[in-house]
Amino acid sequence: MSKPKGFEKPSGVRDYLPYAVEKLRAIERSVLDCMAGWGYRQIMTPTMEYYETVGVASSTSDHKLFKLLNNRGTSMVLRSDMTTPIARVVSSLLREEPLPLRLSYHANVFRAIEEEAGREAEFFQTGVELVGDDSPEADAEVVALAVASLQAAGVTSFKIALGHVGFLNGLLEDAVPGREDVREALKEGLLHRDYVGYRETLAQLSLAAEQRDELEGILRLRGGKEICSQARELSQNPLAQASVEHLSQVWDALEDYGVAQHVMIDLTMIGDFSYYTGMTFEGYAAELGFPVCSGGRYNKLLQQFGRPAPATGFSLKTNRILDGVNGIQVEPALPILLQYDVAHRKEAFAEAKRLRSEGRSVVMKHSDGPDDLICDTAGKGKRKGPLGPAYGEIVSFVEGD
């Protein structure tokens, strides 16, 4: 294996140049401010966690984790999401805090599968967790906040699709009882939007016509609130009925929030069915063909850390918004170039201090005399490229200028 060149970096990671960082930070600040307005307090957790705790409890498949050993030989992981570390904190450091808890975050996360898929192995997420409330009102709150957060991030045209894993589970309980392998195959087809594969799996089953119609009927359950009525008619299973009723109540609350126009019901969408226990949702921006946010209810995670509690939340795919959505536009604040000679150095330094106290950015340049000055016309916009123009203003403290 050849030695990497000095300018190379590992696959799946990237450098962020100043203009990209400015936009990323602007998105981060705007979204976190939005979340704070809804009562969510920001939390930070370590980049590394123990594999036997956070790694095992995570929804991320084992082969997608970045694993390493510390100097004691203990298995560690780079965090693959923020939900599981937050569950650890809620169950330990925040154990005495009364529920519900509302927490927000912005962090980089790591998943090895992203590298294999030609995508990023390190990326950013901004999201919230609402812990301790199992009601439709709580689910509606996080969906409404997801709408507000996408708007705060500069995403103007988007749609959020709501699903519920309980509906499909109930449907399958009646249609293919006791056949866990078949259930998993059908769920995999829906999870990956492979409707052709889903129908092919159905074709291989010996099902009564009524059961086949029920399982094919789920593919048509996408639309507005009327989908709830259609879903009730499709399956009489108690779990399926309860799931539809929950979604119906969430929809009613979203109408009162005034955000229902951004939402649709899609009962083919189940999210990661090994992780979510109830409502799930994904948000799609008009500019992109893949989700810019995702979330849902996960009521079983916290019990793995010894504090059983219902929870729901979501995360924005901040990198996707940064790269693919023309939302927040950041105009860089160009620094002032302050030129000085030794005779006027103290005066120049005092002026720089004054300007910086006003929030201005100041770059200092020592000059040997008038012939060494950068003139105003040369300074403004002279340097082009990824970093943009050089200076917004030039001030000289030089003898003879």
Side-chain angles (χ1 to χ4, degrees):
M1 181 178 177
S2 60
K3 182 180 179 181
K5 295 184 175 68
F7 54 80
E8 291 183 334
K9 60 185 183 297
S11 299
V13 297
R14 64 189 281 190
D15 298 309
Y16 291 83
L17 297 181
Y19 71 92
V21 172
E22 288 172 357
K23 184 175 180 181
L24 179 66
R25 295 305 183 204
I27 294 171
E28 172 191 351
R29 287 192 298 269
S30 181
V31 173
L32 288 174
D33 286 347
C34 173
M35 293 169 173
W38 288 58
Y40 287 76
R41 297 176 295 164
Q42 190 176 358
I43 188 172
M44 297 175 67
T45 67
T47 304
M48 289 190 300
E49 297 273 3
Y50 285 119
Y51 171 74
E52 293 297 333
T53 55
V54 169
V56 172
S58 170
S59 65
T60 306
S61 300
D62 200 69
H63 70 278
K64 298 179 184 178
L65 298 173
F66 277 103
K67 301 176 186 177
L68 58 157
L69 296 176
N70 66 8
N71 57 0
R72 297 181 179 179
T74 306
S75 295
M76 313 287 287
V77 292
L78 300 181
R79 62 188 175 209
S80 61
D81 67 0
M82 282 294 292
T83 300
T84 312
I86 289 175
R88 174 184 58 75
V89 174
V90 168
S91 303
S92 55
L93 298 177
L94 296 177
R95 190 175 185 85
E96 301 305 318
E97 286 283 321
L99 300 178
L101 279 171
R102 288 174 170 83
L103 301 171
S104 65
Y105 60 85
H106 176 82
N108 56 340
V109 297
F110 305 83
R111 294 180 193 166
I113 193 66
E114 303 294 341
E115 179 180 343
E116 295 170 11
R119 290 155 56 185
E120 290 175 306
E122 178 188 15
F123 51 97
F124 289 91
Q125 291 183 338
T126 312
V128 302
E129 310 296 347
L130 172 50
V131 181
D133 189 338
D134 198 22
S135 69
E137 297 293 325
D139 283 336
E141 177 178 316
V142 297
V143 174
L145 179 51
V147 171
S149 298
L150 285 169
Q151 292 170 334
V155 185
T156 56
S157 181
F158 59 89
K159 206 73 171 179
I160 290 181
L162 301 183
H164 199 296
V165 298
F167 178 77
L168 181 63
N169 286 336
L171 192 68
L172 292 176
E173 281 179 7
D174 286 351
V176 284
R179 302 187 63 179
E180 190 63 29
D181 57 333
V182 173
R183 294 183 193 180
E184 295 302 309
L186 291 172
K187 287 179 178 180
E188 283 287 349
L190 293 178
L191 179 64
H192 298 292
R193 302 290 188 180
D194 180 11
Y195 301 138
V196 173
Y198 179 85
R199 288 191 172 96
E200 288 177 349
T201 302
L202 282 180
Q204 297 169 9
L205 301 176
S206 298
L207 297 175
E210 182 179 353
Q211 293 172 319
R212 189 178 303 278
D213 288 343
E214 286 182 1
L215 292 175
E216 287 186 348
I218 195 173
L219 299 180
R220 298 187 293 272
L221 295 180
R222 286 179 283 180
K225 189 181 179 181
E226 73 280 357
I227 296 302
C228 292
S229 298
Q230 297 174 24
R232 288 189 183 97
E233 296 174 1
L234 187 64
S235 174
Q236 298 304 311
N237 176 275
L239 176 58
Q241 289 283 316
S243 301
V244 173
E245 178 59 27
H246 185 95
L247 275 185
S248 180
Q249 293 179 40
V250 171
W251 183 279
D252 289 343
L254 292 175
E255 286 185 330
D256 290 339
Y257 272 114
V259 299
Q261 70 272 20
H262 297 292
V263 181
M264 64 177 288
I265 291 176
D266 181 357
L267 289 175
T268 68
M269 193 203 67
I270 59 173
D272 184 345
F273 55 83
S274 66
Y275 180 63
Y276 291 114
T277 60
M279 182 202 73
T280 65
F281 64 93
E282 290 181 343
Y284 292 83
E287 298 98 323
L288 300 173
F290 37 77
V292 291
C293 81
S294 63
R297 178 161 291 282
Y298 53 96
N299 283 356
K300 296 180 180 179
L301 177 62
L302 274 88
Q303 69 186 26
Q304 297 185 56
F305 295 98
R307 190 185 186 184
T312 185
F314 73 88
S315 66
L316 299 191
K317 319 297 184 184
T318 318
N319 284 67
R320 292 178 179 176
I321 295 172
L322 171 69
D323 296 333
V325 177
N326 294 320
I328 292 179
Q329 300 299 317
V330 178
E331 290 295 330
L334 298 179
I336 297 171
L337 176 64
L338 202 157
Q339 305 176 111
Y340 66 94
D341 57 16
V342 173
H344 297 83
R345 182 170 57 199
K346 184 175 182 179
E347 182 183 359
F349 286 2
E351 176 65 5
K353 182 178 181 180
R354 183 189 70 80
L355 290 169
R356 288 169 179 147
S357 71
E358 296 176 354
R360 305 292 297 276
S361 174
V362 180
V363 173
M364 307 296 293
K365 180 183 183 300
H366 173 255
S367 298
D368 293 327
D371 293 338
D372 189 37
L373 295 177
I374 296 177
C375 67
D376 193 67
T377 55
K380 285 186 178 179
K382 180 180 181 182
R383 184 179 69 218
K384 298 290 185 180
L387 298 182
Y391 311 111
E393 182 181 350
I394 296 176
V395 179
S396 295
F397 285 80
V398 178
E399 189 73 34
D401 180 28

